Amino acid sequence: MTKTAEFIGQTLADIFYFPQFGRGILSVWRRDFLYFRYTILTTLAWIFVEPLLYVFAFGYGLGHFVEHINGMSYIRYIAPAIMATSGMFVGFFEGTYGTFIKLARQNTFSTIILTPVGTDEVAIGEILWCTTKACLSVISVAIVLVLLGLMPTANMAPVLGVMFLTCWVFAAFGVWLASIARSFEWFTYFQSGFILPMSLFCGTYFPLSRLPHPIYVFAMFLPLTHAMQSSRMFLAGDFNAQFFINMMYLVFLGVVFTNLAAARFNRRLVV
Amino acid sequence: MKSVIEANQLVKTYGDHRAVDGITFQVGAGECFGLLGPNGAGKTTTFKMFYGSCRITAGELFVLGMNAREHMRQIKAAIGVVPQENGLDPDFSVLENLLIYASYFGMSGSAAKARAIELLAMMQLEDYSQKDIDTLSGGMKRRLVLARALLTRPKILFLDEPTTGLDPQARAWFWNELRSLQKQGTTLFLTTHYMEEAEELCSRILIMNKGRSVAEGAPRDLIKSYVGHEVVEFDIDPAKIDQYIGQIKNKFAYQVMRNRLKLFLRDNQTAADALSEVSSPNITLRKASLNDVFLKISGYELND
Ligand SMILES: Nc1ncnc2c1ncn2[C@@H]1O[C@H](COP(=O)(O)OP(=O)(O)OP(=O)(O)O)[C@@H](O)[C@H]1O
Ligand SMILES: [Mg+2]
């Protein structure tokens, strides 16, 4: 019990750990990007294939039984959800598994900190990389959706902006988890207890208003909810002030998880 | 001599455990200084505090006059490190490992590449530049790690057990390389478990035990003051050992390991003096070495 209390106390304090930025961030990012080049074909293959699976299963399959949601066809309704969940999954997986391998199995970061690059730059460089990879996934999904004529290109820029923020939040969350993890198994809890439910209940495949009130309130604290609300707003063309709350909440979570990750990286890499 | 590395009353604790317990020493510019000690003595922990992989609990550390608590980034830019664990990146080839490491120092482009290729040639790894790390032998990996540490032409090299696990040829090759670096003015600070390595390379050594400094000086001086000039070593019947020690203990310094006894001969004592007292089928007379000093100081018990 004291251990849990200690963890919570430490985590609350870590929110106010403000990391040092430096050129090292780009070097760390570049290392990950260079490795990504080797795996780019397999990665892009599933990034393109996965949204197609969703489009067919939910859109043409399930969508056949659903008339309209908010005045649009079901498949158009879920299009932004396919984008956002793709960014969420890729950011989370790269952040957790990808970073944990480097942290705990390959000692990549212990070697990096022998150089002038500091632990903050390592943490932020990793988050930046995972965000980048998630954004690439969002962009490729967007391309697929636009090509299939399922997404209007009119307000694409702000929608992508929302998506990129979402990618950052989940990348930073994943990297933070990696920094406190002891084993890979541990990530499974968050995956099935948190990430997967979020992909289903945050106003992704059906409107939030269908949820019982307590769960609705709970969903309002989940980042994906805010990503869905704001991207839908732009796609529907009815922009309102709610957008700023959505954005501020996502930025707030991004900063918090980034600070948490940097603080933990520092304590884990410098014993 | 101007000192480029300085530790004052350095302490590191892990919980209640004092891994480094008040160490003080200096290393002069251009010197080769060795940190010796049994497993768990605190050598790596001491090293890590110099390059910021380990927090300083108490005491002061300076590298090139820079305080390690305040100027870690500048210190790391100025030194080269061969850590105990190679930490090579298995995701990349040999050459890429060097180029990526160089990028962390802000070296890039053709200058970095030229330097990496030069070092691969120096380390006799030019044929392996495109190979995966996993395909290298232990000796090649160690050479690659040395090349990595030399990318920026550092003035000071930290080498944590540079030759552990290497065969005798590879070790001799390493010694040669380190000596020529020293000739070019590089300060070497190394740890080792090989006494002949310390004797061969180091102008001064510090022996640690349980986090404390137990002896410091030039290898030759330490041998002379701790053991003398020669050693007689022989087996003895365990039943008779106490009686025998009673006979010789006023004449000779000695050390017992189970049924094996070592007598240490001072300058004014000859082998004949010692051997007249001994009857054993298995007697060795040899020059005293740093190994004798080490074992005398840290004993025969396992330490960790
Ligand atoms: N991260 C850590 N947490 C707790 N204790 C540690 C940690 N790292 C080292 N120690 C302890 O500190 C002591 C010194 O370890 P260190 O690695 O410095 O020894 P060493 O002299 O380098 O040994 P070796 O010759 O085996 O490399 C040991 O008792 C070790 O168990
Ligand atoms: Mg060690």
Side-chain angles (χ1 to χ4, degrees):
Chain A
M1 210 50 223
T2 55
K3 254 195 152 163
T4 317
E6 198 181 310
F7 175 82
I8 293 171
Q10 185 62 259
T11 304
L12 288 176
D14 286 350
I15 294 176
F16 302 99
Y17 177 96
F18 289 101
Q20 266 188 12
F21 289 72
R23 202 181 27 110
I25 293 171
L26 294 180
S27 314
V28 173
W29 179 89
R30 185 173 162 273
R31 178 237 169 255
D32 292 334
F33 175 72
L34 289 176
Y35 180 60
F36 173 70
R37 288 196 318 187
Y38 292 130
T39 57
I40 197 161
L41 284 181
T42 46
T43 313
L44 286 184
W46 69 252
I47 283 176
F48 277 112
V49 168
E50 219 178 63
L52 286 175
L53 294 179
Y54 279 99
V55 167
F56 282 103
F58 286 98
Y60 298 123
L62 186 62
H64 181 72
F65 301 96
V66 182
E67 292 269 300
H68 286 285
I69 294 187
N70 299 350
M72 62 178 99
S73 70
Y74 187 62
I75 194 160
R76 280 172 175 275
Y77 177 78
I78 66 166
I82 298 175
M83 249 167 110
T85 52
S86 161
M88 172 175 82
F89 280 120
V90 172
F92 178 79
F93 279 104
E94 188 71 12
T96 49
Y97 292 86
T99 303
F100 190 71
I101 290 176
K102 291 172 245 173
L103 179 69
R105 296 283 181 278
Q106 299 181 178
N107 292 322
T108 309
F109 305 139
S110 322
T111 302
I112 297 179
I113 62 161
L114 299 177
T115 74
V117 178
T119 60
D120 290 351
E121 289 157 282
V122 173
I124 297 173
E126 276 301 301
I127 293 172
L128 186 62
W129 164 247
C130 300
T131 307
T132 308
K133 189 166 170 182
C135 290
L136 286 177
S137 150
V138 165
I139 291 169
S140 52
V141 172
I143 293 172
V144 171
L145 293 174
V146 168
L147 288 179
L148 291 175
L150 298 176
M151 185 162 277
T153 46
N155 281 327
M156 198 48 125
V159 171
L160 284 178
V162 169
M163 296 295 162
F164 291 172
L165 269 184
T166 311
C167 291
W168 171 40
V169 171
F170 286 99
F173 176 62
V175 171
W176 172 54
L177 287 183
S179 71
I180 51 183
R182 295 289 148 202
S183 71
F184 285 108
E185 285 70 39
W186 203 72
F187 299 134
T188 326
Y189 299 122
F190 291 89
Q191 202 177 306
S192 41
F194 194 64
I195 297 293
L196 186 65
M198 226 187 305
S199 76
L200 298 173
F201 297 107
C202 288
T204 41
Y205 300 106
F206 58 86
L208 269 180
S209 53
R210 296 297 309 156
L211 292 172
H213 191 69
I215 300 183
Y216 173 85
V217 171
F218 178 69
M220 288 313 292
F221 286 96
L222 300 175
L224 196 63
T225 305
H226 294 266
M228 293 321 302
Q229 281 185 340
S230 48
S231 54
R232 289 234 151 88
M233 213 179 284
F234 280 113
L235 289 172
D238 69 343
F239 179 82
N240 66 48
Q242 159 97 55
F243 167 76
F244 292 105
I245 295 173
N246 295 144
M247 290 300 96
M248 266 159 50
Y249 189 64
L250 290 177
V251 170
F252 167 74
L253 289 181
V255 170
V256 166
F257 288 133
T258 302
N259 290 358
L260 292 181
R264 287 279 166 187
F265 260 63
N266 184 264
R267 277 199 297 279
R268 188 146 174 180
L269 291 175
V270 180
V271 289
Chain B
M1 196 171 13
K2 196 169 133 265
S3 71
V4 291
I5 294 176
E6 229 181 293
N8 292 326
Q9 292 301 320
L10 187 63
V11 175
K12 174 68 192 184
T13 55
Y14 291 114
D16 298 336
H17 177 55
R18 295 178 83 82
V20 175
D21 194 3
I23 293 243
T24 299
F25 60 85
Q26 282 99 36
V27 182
E31 199 181 2
C32 177
F33 187 78
L35 199 54
L36 275 56
N39 290 133
K43 303 180 295 296
T44 299
T45 306
T46 303
F47 256 48
K48 283 183 170 174
M49 283 189 272
F50 276 103
Y51 43 78
S53 295
C54 181
R55 257 172 260 277
I56 301 169
T57 305
E60 297 296 326
L61 272 190
F62 296 91
V63 178
L64 291 165
M66 295 181 278
N67 189 332
R69 289 177 192 271
E70 287 152 25
H71 301 290
M72 189 42 74
R73 202 182 280 262
Q74 291 92 319
I75 290 175
K76 288 194 294 182
I79 65 174
V81 179
V82 172
Q84 186 166 359
E85 309 291 340
N86 290 330
L88 291 165
D89 199 329
D91 290 340
F92 295 99
S93 73
V94 168
L95 179 62
E96 286 168 325
N97 259 272
L98 294 182
L99 295 178
I100 289 172
Y101 196 78
S103 77
Y104 300 134
F105 288 88
M107 292 169 71
S108 58
S110 55
K113 190 155 188 188
R115 178 67 179 150
I117 287 169
E118 177 191 352
L119 283 164
L120 287 179
M122 183 169 143
M123 300 298 153
Q124 295 173 20
L125 289 168
E126 62 269 70
D127 297 341
Y128 293 85
S129 66
Q130 305 306 323
K131 292 270 195 307
D132 277 348
I133 296 302
D134 296 335
T135 65
L136 303 186
S137 73
M140 289 173 181
K141 284 184 187 155
R142 220 54 191 142
R143 265 145 54 204
L144 181 56
V145 174
L146 180 60
R148 194 180 68 185
L150 293 174
L151 278 164
T152 55
R153 304 177 200 274
K155 282 266 157 271
I156 305 180
L157 260 189
F158 286 78
L159 304 133
D160 196 355
E161 299 190 24
T163 68
T164 294
L166 302 195
D167 67 27
Q169 287 88 337
R171 184 166 300 136
W173 182 91
F174 239 89
W175 291 352
N176 228 337
E177 217 50 54
L178 294 181
R179 264 194 299 258
S180 80
L181 283 166
Q182 199 191 357
K183 273 205 199 89
Q184 293 157 33
T186 313
T187 305
L188 304 179
F189 183 19
L190 60 85
T191 79
T192 180
H193 286 299
Y194 300 106
M195 297 304 133
E196 69 278 23
E197 181 163 296
E199 277 190 76
E200 187 80 24
L201 294 174
C202 299
S203 48
R204 279 190 316 128
I205 60 172
L206 185 149
I207 301 182
M208 292 180 75
N209 199 6
K210 301 194 165 73
R212 291 174 170 274
S213 162
V214 284
E216 188 183 344
R220 198 183 298 271
D221 297 340
L222 290 178
I223 295 169
K224 214 165 168 180
S225 63
Y226 278 84
V227 292
H229 72 121
E230 281 178 321
V231 178
V232 180
E233 207 179 328
F234 52 93
D235 290 337
I236 184 166
D237 181 352
K240 293 190 185 147
I241 208 159
D242 287 337
Q243 183 209 345
Y244 181 78
I245 287 173
Q247 280 175 32
I248 56 103
K249 74 175 174 204
N250 292 326
K251 278 199 233 166
F252 297 103
Y254 67 93
Q255 190 176 16
V256 186
M257 187 180 92
R258 299 204 195 157
N259 63 338
R260 198 155 175 85
L261 199 70
K262 274 186 189 176
L263 301 182
F264 302 125
L265 308 183
R266 300 269 156 208
D267 280 344
N268 56 358
Q269 296 172 319
T270 65
D273 293 342
L275 293 172
S276 66
E277 308 270 355
V278 174
S279 59
S280 162
N282 193 351
I283 302 179
T284 313
L285 170 67
R286 57 179 172 75
K287 278 189 65 167
S289 71
L290 204 50
N291 211 35
D292 300 309
V293 177
F294 189 84
L295 289 172
K296 191 167 176 201
I297 288 176
S298 46
Y300 282 102
E301 302 300 319
L302 291 179
N303 281 278
D304 57 352

